[in-house]
Short mmCIF file of all heavy atoms in Angstrom, two decimals:
data_model
loop_
_atom_site.label_atom_id
_atom_site.label_comp_id
_atom_site.label_asym_id
_atom_site.label_seq_id
_atom_site.Cartn_x
_atom_site.Cartn_y
_atom_site.Cartn_z
N VAL J 166 -7.28 24.34 -0.14
CA VAL J 166 -7.07 24.55 1.19
C VAL J 166 -5.55 24.38 1.62
O VAL J 166 -4.78 23.78 0.79
CB VAL J 166 -8.03 23.80 2.08
CG1 VAL J 166 -9.35 24.11 1.81
CG2 VAL J 166 -7.84 22.27 1.86
N SER J 167 -5.20 24.67 2.81
CA SER J 167 -3.84 24.35 3.24
C SER J 167 -3.70 22.81 3.73
O SER J 167 -4.71 22.20 3.93
CB SER J 167 -3.52 25.17 4.45
OG SER J 167 -4.19 24.77 5.66
N ARG J 168 -2.52 22.41 3.79
CA ARG J 168 -2.16 21.13 4.20
C ARG J 168 -2.60 20.92 5.68
O ARG J 168 -3.17 19.90 5.99
CB ARG J 168 -0.67 20.76 4.08
CG ARG J 168 -0.07 20.71 2.71
CD ARG J 168 1.44 20.46 2.71
NE ARG J 168 2.10 21.66 3.37
CZ ARG J 168 3.13 21.60 4.09
NH1 ARG J 168 3.73 20.41 4.36
NH2 ARG J 168 3.63 22.61 4.76
N MET J 169 -2.48 21.97 6.51
CA MET J 169 -2.85 21.80 7.88
C MET J 169 -4.48 21.68 7.89
O MET J 169 -4.93 20.87 8.81
CB MET J 169 -2.56 23.02 8.65
CG MET J 169 -2.88 23.11 10.13
SD MET J 169 -2.17 21.57 10.98
CE MET J 169 -0.47 21.89 10.91
N THR J 170 -5.09 22.29 7.09
CA THR J 170 -6.72 22.06 7.01
C THR J 170 -6.95 20.67 6.72
O THR J 170 -7.78 20.02 7.43
CB THR J 170 -7.24 22.98 5.98
OG1 THR J 170 -7.00 24.34 6.35
CG2 THR J 170 -8.76 22.72 5.79
N VAL J 171 -6.23 20.05 5.68
CA VAL J 171 -6.50 18.60 5.42
C VAL J 171 -6.12 17.66 6.61
O VAL J 171 -6.88 16.80 6.96
CB VAL J 171 -5.71 18.27 4.14
CG1 VAL J 171 -5.88 16.71 3.87
CG2 VAL J 171 -6.30 19.02 2.93
N TYR J 172 -4.93 17.98 7.16
CA TYR J 172 -4.52 17.20 8.43
C TYR J 172 -5.61 17.34 9.48
O TYR J 172 -5.96 16.35 10.14
CB TYR J 172 -3.21 17.69 8.98
CG TYR J 172 -1.96 17.10 8.20
CD1 TYR J 172 -1.14 17.86 7.62
CD2 TYR J 172 -1.84 15.70 8.33
CE1 TYR J 172 -0.01 17.33 6.92
CE2 TYR J 172 -0.73 15.11 7.76
CZ TYR J 172 0.18 15.96 7.05
OH TYR J 172 1.32 15.35 6.45
N ASN J 173 -6.19 18.46 9.68
CA ASN J 173 -7.27 18.63 10.71
C ASN J 173 -8.50 17.84 10.36
O ASN J 173 -9.03 17.23 11.24
CB ASN J 173 -7.53 20.09 11.02
CG ASN J 173 -6.49 20.89 11.74
OD1 ASN J 173 -5.83 20.20 12.42
ND2 ASN J 173 -6.38 22.01 11.47
N TRP J 174 -8.76 17.74 9.05
CA TRP J 174 -9.92 16.94 8.61
C TRP J 174 -9.65 15.41 8.96
O TRP J 174 -10.46 14.84 9.52
CB TRP J 174 -10.22 17.07 7.19
CG TRP J 174 -10.71 18.27 6.64
CD1 TRP J 174 -11.08 19.44 7.33
CD2 TRP J 174 -10.80 18.61 5.28
NE1 TRP J 174 -11.45 20.47 6.50
CE2 TRP J 174 -11.20 20.03 5.23
CE3 TRP J 174 -10.36 18.14 4.08
CZ2 TRP J 174 -11.38 20.69 4.06
CZ3 TRP J 174 -10.55 18.80 2.89
CH2 TRP J 174 -11.11 20.13 2.84
N ILE J 175 -8.47 14.95 8.42
CA ILE J 175 -8.23 13.47 8.56
C ILE J 175 -7.98 13.08 10.01
O ILE J 175 -8.07 11.82 10.32
CB ILE J 175 -7.06 13.07 7.62
CG1 ILE J 175 -5.66 13.56 8.00
CG2 ILE J 175 -7.43 13.41 6.19
CD1 ILE J 175 -4.57 13.17 7.23
N LEU J 176 -7.64 14.00 10.84
CA LEU J 176 -7.39 13.62 12.22
C LEU J 176 -8.59 13.87 13.10
O LEU J 176 -8.53 13.58 14.29
CB LEU J 176 -6.18 14.36 12.86
CG LEU J 176 -4.86 14.07 12.22
CD1 LEU J 176 -3.81 15.00 12.81
CD2 LEU J 176 -4.47 12.57 12.41
N GLY J 177 -9.68 14.17 12.42
CA GLY J 177 -10.99 14.41 13.15
C GLY J 177 -11.08 15.69 13.95
O GLY J 177 -11.96 15.76 14.81
#
Side-chain angles (χ1 to χ4, degrees):
V166 298
S167 70
R168 291 177 302 144
M169 184 54 68
T170 295
V171 175
Y172 275 117
N173 285 332
W174 293 349
I175 67 176
L176 295 175

